[in-house]
Amino acid sequence: MTPEELKLWQQVAKTTDRLDPKTGTEGPRLLERPSKPPSDAPQPALPDFRVGQNANRSGHKHDTLPGLPERLARQPLQMDKRTNTRLKRGKVEPEARIDLHGMTLARAQPALTGFILRAQAQGKRLVLVITGKGKNTDTGGPIPTRNGVLRHAVPQWLGMAPLSGLVLQITQAHVRHGGGGAYYVYLRRNR
């Protein structure tokens, strides 16, 4: 305790009666202040910095997870390059589509699973899964909330059993087919 706190405590203690007179009379103790380091100790040198100057970020990597479109783009290419190029340009028309937009997670997952299983059984190669972009529900709290719950859940569902063995590639749809609110799902051939 600081000397001021100790003085205040002693004033309060005078106005009270001890409940158990057998206990010790030792009150709070005064904390010792840490001694100041000698002023001749070397201080670590900080680099000069001017307002407006960019910070040196070499060697400092952040550990945040990249965005969903970036993670999908980083996946190794499983389909043929020509089809992928045509897909990115919006030149390939999906053979089937499902609109999960507005569904809850509990309704959307079985609907997606059934759709992909049926499409693959029918020999379809390219299907469009529409998720919607999601609402901006961030309340400004300390933990940011993600927009588009379905948009983030669909790639995970497609990577899990029983769909993982059927899906060859997942890419974000062209603007003509929904852009950031839809995915092209390229299915494996029937064997």
Side-chain angles (χ1 to χ4, degrees):
M1 295 176 80
T2 64
E4 295 85 24
E5 291 171 335
L6 183 61
K7 186 176 179 183
L8 180 62
W9 171 254
Q10 288 170 346
Q11 288 177 351
V12 171
K14 287 179 188 175
T15 63
T16 61
D17 293 327
R18 185 176 299 277
L19 290 175
D20 187 7
K22 296 176 184 172
T23 60
T25 58
E26 186 176 310
R29 287 179 271 148
L30 187 63
L31 290 179
E32 293 140 18
R33 294 196 179 217
S35 61
K36 290 184 181 177
S39 60
D40 59 342
Q43 298 293 327
L46 295 175
D48 292 336
F49 183 79
R50 292 187 322 273
V51 174
Q53 171 186 347
N54 288 337
N56 181 8
R57 295 177 192 227
S58 61
H60 297 288
K61 293 185 179 183
H62 58 79
D63 61 351
T64 58
L65 188 64
L68 189 60
E70 189 178 333
R71 282 184 281 159
L72 288 175
R74 284 185 185 174
Q75 289 180 343
L77 189 62
Q78 301 291 328
M79 59 197 306
D80 61 293
K81 195 171 184 178
R82 182 172 178 260
T83 305
N84 186 45
T85 304
R86 292 184 65 224
L87 206 60
K88 285 182 180 177
R89 293 181 181 165
K91 303 290 183 188
V92 180
E93 202 60 38
E95 298 172 71
R97 68 181 63 219
I98 185 171
D99 190 354
L100 304 175
H101 188 226
M103 288 187 189
T104 63
L105 290 173
R107 280 187 55 214
Q109 187 173 15
L112 177 67
T113 303
F115 171 74
I116 296 293
L117 291 172
R118 282 189 305 277
Q120 208 270 340
Q122 294 168 356
K124 296 180 179 172
R125 294 298 306 276
L126 180 66
V127 295
L128 181 69
V129 178
I130 301 168
T131 61
K133 292 185 180 179
K135 294 180 182 177
N136 186 1
T137 57
D138 191 6
T139 59
I143 299 174
T145 57
R146 203 174 252 173
N147 295 342
V149 176
L150 282 176
R151 190 171 59 138
H152 289 285
V154 164
Q156 293 173 350
W157 294 341
L158 293 170
M160 296 183 331
L163 303 179
S164 60
L166 307 177
V167 175
L168 189 64
Q169 189 84 42
I170 307 165
T171 59
Q172 186 172 319
H174 188 268
V175 175
R176 279 184 50 205
H177 297 122
Y183 295 108
Y184 293 128
V185 180
Y186 200 71
L187 301 173
R188 295 183 190 279
R189 290 186 198 278
N190 272 341
R191 300 264 178 206

